[in-house]
Amino acid sequence: MEFVSPEGLRLDGRRPRELRRLACELDVLSSASGSATFTVGNTKVLAAVFGPHDVSNRAEYKEDRAIVHCEYTMAAFSTGERRTRGKKDRRTTELTAVIRNTLEQAIMLEMLPGSQIDIYLQVLQADGGTRCAAINAAVLALAAAGEKMKQSFMT
């Protein structure tokens, strides 16, 4: 399969050195504290943030900081073929952990002791770069929710 046409264009119509188109939209869900969609090329991710609120599982309670719950999923229709992978497959579990780790480094959790922030990420359309798109969507949703984030992460 050729990735560049005889005219010098990629499958999506871009030139070899041309970046993918970026787009974002904030507050797309009224029920969430903050939400966003982030689109890069043909990849689109929806993020929703709920909280801070009381910790739902007392065993996870942290007196000195907030905890972050993160859930990353791919819609069954997100790729060209129907996905048969379950919600708890290994790749999804690993991506969820990486994304949660990244976001925990970005949020000023010590300013929200004893609370919980829930972040839900849904890949609506996948065409590569879903992890990066999910992190960007989550940061936008956190900003829309008014969560305090570390300056070094934002620069």
Side-chain angles (χ1 to χ4, degrees), residues 14-149:
R14 293 181 294 130
R15 299 218 175 272
R17 299 180 64 86
E18 186 178 349
L19 296 176
R20 290 184 169 120
R21 183 183 54 81
L22 299 173
C24 64
E25 188 177 349
L26 300 177
D27 294 322
V28 294
L29 300 173
S30 60
S31 62
S33 303
S35 61
T37 58
F38 185 80
T39 305
V40 55
N42 293 323
T43 297
K44 185 171 188 170
V45 178
L46 169 68
V49 171
F50 295 89
H53 57 81
D54 291 338
V55 177
S56 56
N57 182 354
R58 284 288 156 197
E60 297 176 343
Y61 179 84
K62 301 276 188 199
E63 188 175 302
D64 59 334
R65 66 180 191 89
I67 62 168
V68 175
H69 274 199
C70 183
E71 185 176 304
Y72 168 92
T73 57
M74 292 184 73
F77 52 83
S78 64
T79 61
E81 53 198 49
R82 291 290 284 191
R83 295 176 42 84
T84 57
R85 194 181 309 168
K87 193 175 185 180
K88 292 292 184 185
D89 72 329
R90 186 173 157 189
R91 180 177 183 274
T92 299
T93 301
E94 289 173 2
L95 281 171
T96 297
V98 167
I99 293 167
R100 183 185 64 245
N101 236 358
T102 301
L103 297 173
E104 284 176 339
Q105 301 305 311
I107 305 166
M108 297 180 81
L109 299 174
E110 63 280 355
M111 295 190 69
L112 303 164
S115 62
Q116 174 177 322
I117 300 169
D118 298 321
I119 303 169
Y120 297 94
L121 301 157
Q122 177 82 46
V123 176
L124 302 175
Q125 189 170 315
D127 187 34
T130 59
R131 179 187 58 201
C132 296
I135 291 169
N136 280 292
V139 169
L140 289 169
L142 285 162
E147 300 298 339
K148 303 262 190 257
M149 288 184 272

